[in-house]
Structures are given as structure tokens and as C-alpha cells.
């Protein structure tokens, strides 16, 4: 199978993004799995390289995306001018050049020069401008790919958490919890678990919105009027979808271990438990796009930027996961192209129906 070419964006110039890139690709073994193309500038890389004397990071500049060097880390100069780099500071340039890196990598992705993308963190407020009005990478990629919908999915070894609503003020969350939104996210989640994670019959848990999943309508009625009917409709299509569960008890009792993924209603409901469980090793994946995009599960970390203190585990894992998902998608597509080859060991492993305890939570 051809080694995937992975585009890497630098994120906010003054955050920990470039340090994570240098740390990750100082391990030359990654080149056995992928060909990295970093969208940034030599000057940015060299600035941070000087703060990390131990880093064994080498690269070659790439001018023509059709001439990627598969034995090296490639760096595309997205800008030539001098830009002030002030680690830990929120500057206009820090956000504006993060967008330049992102736009150049996205163009390369859409033109087919790279097979997947790993994004270093941006500062959401600092990237806002006339040409970038998104609350994060996820809605940006949805628009760039002209996707019908997209699903924010964070995962580590023993848990996958997907979100119905993403970066939304809490006061607006309830209005966005509609049957249509739930069914759309459930469909993307189910499809992604099959195609991107190789799980033929995924089991999905859906959380409630209100405390104690509404306590039978006493503390809010979205569970009865919206979430339960959506689950029923999804089940009618054959999907293994269960809930709604009380979010606190669900995580406290580790019920997520019984499911392939959990659908949370809003950001902190899903991501506080997730980040506590994943402790800096999680990966953020945008499901539902025609290409594979991953990122670390943390932000710009301005407080430690430029100090050589950043832990690159989540970023490195995001690179490996980008490669793995690309390869699994290729296998899935290959398998589904030819109906005679559809029955694989992975499918046979799941053939026996499992009983699911619907009483938890
Ligand atoms: N994928 C992304 O682009 C992404 C993801 C999350 C947050 N953000 C953005 O980042 C900005 C800052 O967010 P925040 O302060 O909530 O979270 P943060 O993750 O940047 O920082 C929270 C704390 O964790 C520490 N930390 C984070 N990553 C670390 C690492 N790799 N190694 C060691 N310590 C690390 C930081 O030093 C800080 O103390 C916000 O604008 C937010 O929107 C972007
Ligand atoms: N919600 C993510 C997190 O908290 O880790 C993060 O902000 C990433 O958002 P985008 O992937 O949309 O940039």
C-alpha cells in the first residue's frame, strides 16, 4: 500500500504547534509510515529549532507539490516575509499566518497532493478575520469540503466521544438539540465507526441533555420529546443505538467501556470526561469529511510556548491516527468495491449478536 502523504499545519505561530511538529518528526521512524509535508515557513521552523537543541529534526524545502521527497520531511514556504514570532503572546500575525498555513494545506488536500491533514492548534478568537469566520477547524473543513455535515469525534484507546453541538454558548445548546441534528450525527458516527475504525456493527450510547437525563420529564423534557424518538428512529434503521443515559453516572460507572462510541449533547459534557480519561493522549478527528483530518486534543498552550516544555504525545498520536484511518478507509473501500471479498476476518469476529444492557445509566 502506498505510504500516505500527510499535510501538517503549524497553528498559531506563538503557540506550541511548531514545537510539537519538530518533536514529532525528530523521530525518523515516522517516515516509514508517512511522508510529511509541513505548511509553514523555514524561518518559523528554524526559530523554534533553536529553542530545542536536542531535536534531531531535518527537512527539505518543497517548492513544487508534485515533487514531494518521500524520504524526508518536506516544508512548504507559505510565506517568505519576516514575521515576528513571540512565543506565548497573542498577536495578530500569530493568528493570520496560522490561517495562511491552513489555507495552503487545505488547497493541497483538495487538489489531491496530500492524502490527509493534521492540524496544530489555533487560537479560535485570534484567527477571526474577514476571510476566516469559523469557531474552529471543524466547521472550516466542513465548508471547504462542501460536506453536508461533520462530526467532532475525540478518542483514545478505550473511549470515543462525539458531539452533537461543538463550540456554542451553553445558552444556545438546547435549541440545537433537534431530532434532525441527532439523526445526522448518529448516521455520521455509525458510518465513521465502520469505515474509519473497522467496526462492522458499532454500538453507540447517546447521553441525555438534562441532569439525570431529565428524570422522566421532571428536569427538562428534551429526552422524551427529542432524544428518545431520535434513538427509536435510528434503531428502526438497524443501528445499535441506546440511551438516553444520565451523563454523570454514565462516565462515573465507566459505562462507555461497553460501547464503541458515545454521543454527547455538548462540548463540556463529553470533553471534560474525555480529556480526564485520555490525559493528553487523545486525538480529535473530524468525521464525515471526504478526507482525513486529525489534531491533538489540546490547544495553543501559550503559557508554555517556546519553553521546550510541550508534551508531543497527542500530536504524534494524531499523525499516526491520520495514517491509520487513511489506510483503513482504503481497505474499506477496496473491500466494498468487490462484493465477493466483503466477508473479512474483522466482520466474522462480530458475527455473534451481543446482548446489550439497556438499563445502565
Ligand atoms: N485543535 C485546536 O485548534 C484547539 C484545540 C483545543 C483548544 N484550542 C484553542 O486553544 C486556545 C487555548 O485553549 P485552552 O487554554 O483552553 O487549552 P490548552 O490546551 O491550550 O491549555 C490548557 C492547559 O494545558 C496545558 N497544555 C496543553 N497542551 C499541552 C501539551 N501538549 N503539553 C503540556 N501542557 C499542555 C497548557 O499549558 C495549559 O496549562 C483556545 O483558543 C482554544 O480554543 C484549539
Ligand atoms: N473542541 C476541541 C477540543 O476542545 O479539543 C477543539 O477546540 C478543536 O476544535 P477544532 O477541531 O474545530 O479546531
Amino acid at each position: 500500500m502506498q505510504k500516505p502523504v500527510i499535510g501538517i499545519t503549524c497553528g498559531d505561530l506563538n503557540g506550541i504547534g511548531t514545537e510539537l511538529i519538530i518533536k514529532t518528526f525528530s523521530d525518523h521512524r515516522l517516515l516509514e509510515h508517512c511522508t510529511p509535508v509541513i505548511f509553514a515557513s523555514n524561518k518559523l521552523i528554524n526559530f523554534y529549532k533553536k529553542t530545542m537543541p536536542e531535536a534531531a529534526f531535518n527537512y527539505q524545502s518543497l517548492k513544487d507539490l508534485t515533487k514531494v521527497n518521500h524520504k524526508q520531511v518536506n516544508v512548504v514556504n507559505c510565506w517568505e516575509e519576516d514575521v515576528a514570532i513571540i512565543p506565548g503572546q497573542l498577536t495578530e500575525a500569530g493568528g493570520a499566518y496560522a490561517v495562511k498555513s491552513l489555507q495552503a494545506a487545505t488547497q493541497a488536500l483538495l487538489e489531491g497532493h496530500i492524502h490527509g491533514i493534521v492540524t496544530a492548534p489555533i487560537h479560535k478568537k485570534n484567527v477571526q478575520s474577514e476571510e476566516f469566520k469559523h469557531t474552529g477547524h471543524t466547521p472550516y473543513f466542513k465548508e471547504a469540503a462542501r460536506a453536508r455535515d461533520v462530526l467532532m469525534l475525540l478518542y483514545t484507546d478505550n473511549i470515543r466521544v462525539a458531539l452533537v453541538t461543538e463550540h456554542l454558548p451553553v445558552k444556545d445548546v438546547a435549541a440545537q438539540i433537534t431530532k434532525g441534528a441527532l439523526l445526522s450525527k448518529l448516521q455520521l458516527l455509525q458510518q465513521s465507526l465502520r469505515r474509519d475504525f473497522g467496526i462492522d456493527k458499532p454500538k453507540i450510547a447517546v447521553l441525555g441533555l438534562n441532569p439525570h437525563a431529565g428524570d422522566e420529564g421532571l428536569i427538562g423534557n428534551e429526552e422524551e420529546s427529542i432524544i428518545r424518538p431520535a434513538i427509536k428512529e435510528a434503531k428502526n434503521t438497524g443501528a445499535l443505538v441506546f440511551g438516553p443515559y444520565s451523563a454523570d453516572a454514565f462516565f462515573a460507572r465507566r459505562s462507555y467501556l461497553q460501547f464503541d462510541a458515545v454521543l454527547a449533547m455538548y462540548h463540556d459534557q463529553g470533553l471534560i470526561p474525555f480529556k480526564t480519561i485520555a490525559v493528553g493522549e487523545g486525538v480529535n478527528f473530524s468525521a464525515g469529511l471526504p478526507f482525513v483530518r486529525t489534531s491533538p486534543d489540546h490547544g495553543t498552550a501559550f503559557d508554555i510556548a517556546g519553553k521546550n516544555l510541550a508534551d508531543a504525545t497527542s500530536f504524534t498520536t494524531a499523525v499516526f491516527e491520520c495514517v491509520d484511518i487513511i489506510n483503513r478507509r482504503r481497505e474499506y473501500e477496496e473491500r466494498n468495491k468487490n462484493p465477493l471479498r466483503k466477508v473479512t476476518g474483522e466482520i466474522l469476529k462480530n458475527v455473534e449478536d451481543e446482548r446489550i444492557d439497556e438499563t445502565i445509566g
Side-chain angles (χ1 to χ4, degrees), residues 122 124 135-139 152 154 167 267 271 275 284 293 295-298:
I122 52 173
K124 291 183 178 57
T135 53
H137 294 93
T138 312
M152 188 180 285
L154 283 92
H167 296 116
H267 187 279
L271 297 196
K275 291 189 183 184
N284 175 19
R293 178 263 168 161
S295 81
D297 69 353
H298 56 74

